[in-house]
Amino acid sequence: MEVTLLNHTPLWVCSNAIRTCWQSFDKGDNGGEIDLALIDRVGNQLKHASTLEHLFYNFYIKGISRACLQELARHRIASLSVKSTRYTLKELKNESEFKPNDFENASRYIVLTSNEFVDNASINALDNLRQILNQNTSLDIAKYCLPESYKTELSWSINARSLQNFLSLRSSKSALWEIRNLANLIYQNLPQEHKFIYENCLTKPK
């Protein structure tokens, strides 16, 4: 999978929101160390996390499965624009047969789990879909036999408060392995100067 950070809100917008509450603009340092400490104290330590909602991040996520997409969609305070199967399934139509154990070829379209039985079942489903498309079945109907492992991509936008929640839940070892990998990639792609907001949210590997 690939994660690209497209855009983000500068930190001074958050510190400005906090200082709006107290009208303490004269104590700020234009997004410097004093303002960063303020964000950490108010947003993280004192848990006035509503102030973090002024920070937004826009990501482009590529190569996750539809199963992972369903998990991602459970995070309500986020916006998703997803690659449409209705318009893009035809990319599969002119492919040659997908054969069992040809994981390298199939991985262009499906996310592999490293479980040979599961991955071969996904390859079979992928080839069934290819055959159905070649019967000139409408894409609206054909998409009903998409395997959950079928790859997709999306634009994903989220505010900092919701991102804290996402990282806390999805970096956990109890989370689906694929979305756990996604959570770690999202954290890695955050601007370095923003990471202090999320350090305590991430489950560190033992």
Side-chain angles (χ1 to χ4, degrees):
M1 72 177 65
E2 299 174 26
V3 173
T4 304
L5 178 67
L6 301 177
N7 197 20
H8 64 277
T9 310
L11 288 169
W12 68 263
V13 173
C14 182
S15 59
N16 186 79
I18 295 171
R19 295 197 183 283
T20 298
C21 301
W22 301 328
Q23 292 294 288
S24 61
F25 300 112
D26 59 315
K27 296 181 179 178
D29 61 350
N30 297 314
E33 291 185 5
I34 293 174
D35 283 348
L36 297 187
L38 177 71
I39 294 171
D40 187 45
R41 184 172 74 255
V42 175
N44 287 342
Q45 298 172 34
L46 298 179
K47 305 299 182 184
H48 295 308
S50 62
T51 58
L52 300 178
E53 293 176 1
H54 297 281
L55 296 176
F56 278 87
Y57 305 90
N58 310 102
F59 297 94
Y60 194 77
I61 299 169
K62 186 176 181 179
I64 64 170
S65 70
R66 291 172 63 84
C68 185
L69 174 64
Q70 287 189 48
E71 297 284 332
L72 193 61
R74 293 177 180 177
H75 294 269
R76 302 297 190 196
I77 313 301
S79 299
L80 301 86
S81 296
V82 182
K83 178 181 178 181
S84 170
T85 51
R86 183 178 188 181
Y87 294 106
T88 63
L89 261 185
K90 57 189 176 184
E91 66 191 5
L92 189 61
K93 187 173 182 178
N94 296 322
E95 290 286 348
S96 56
E97 179 184 2
F98 292 96
K99 297 180 179 179
N101 298 315
D102 189 0
F103 302 121
E104 182 176 355
N105 186 34
S107 67
R108 292 182 294 125
Y109 290 97
I110 58 174
V111 172
L112 300 174
T113 66
S114 77
N115 181 302
E116 184 176 334
F117 295 105
V118 171
D119 292 340
N120 272 320
S122 289
I123 289 175
N124 288 336
L126 184 64
D127 198 62
N128 287 339
L129 176 58
R130 180 191 64 82
Q131 293 179 56
I132 289 169
L133 290 170
N134 277 287
Q135 296 297 319
N136 292 319
T137 308
S138 76
L139 299 186
D140 269 345
I141 299 299
K143 68 183 182 181
Y144 279 86
C145 67
L146 274 167
E148 286 285 81
S149 57
Y150 199 80
K151 284 184 175 179
T152 191
E153 49 198 79
L154 68 149
S155 292
W156 189 61
S157 301
I158 190 167
N159 70 54
R161 184 182 193 177
S162 295
L163 185 55
Q164 283 187 332
N165 176 257
F166 172 80
L167 293 175
S168 296
L169 294 174
R170 300 306 188 167
S171 66
S172 166
K173 63 180 181 180
S174 62
L176 175 75
W177 62 272
E178 190 182 2
I179 203 167
R180 185 168 65 244
N181 292 343
L182 177 60
N184 286 317
L185 267 179
I186 285 171
Y187 176 76
Q188 290 170 26
N189 277 272
L190 288 171
Q192 191 62 40
E193 68 271 18
H194 287 233
K195 288 185 177 179
F196 75 94
I197 299 174
Y198 307 97
E199 286 175 348
N200 293 329
C201 302
L202 214 62
T203 301
K204 304 292 193 300
K206 295 182 179 179

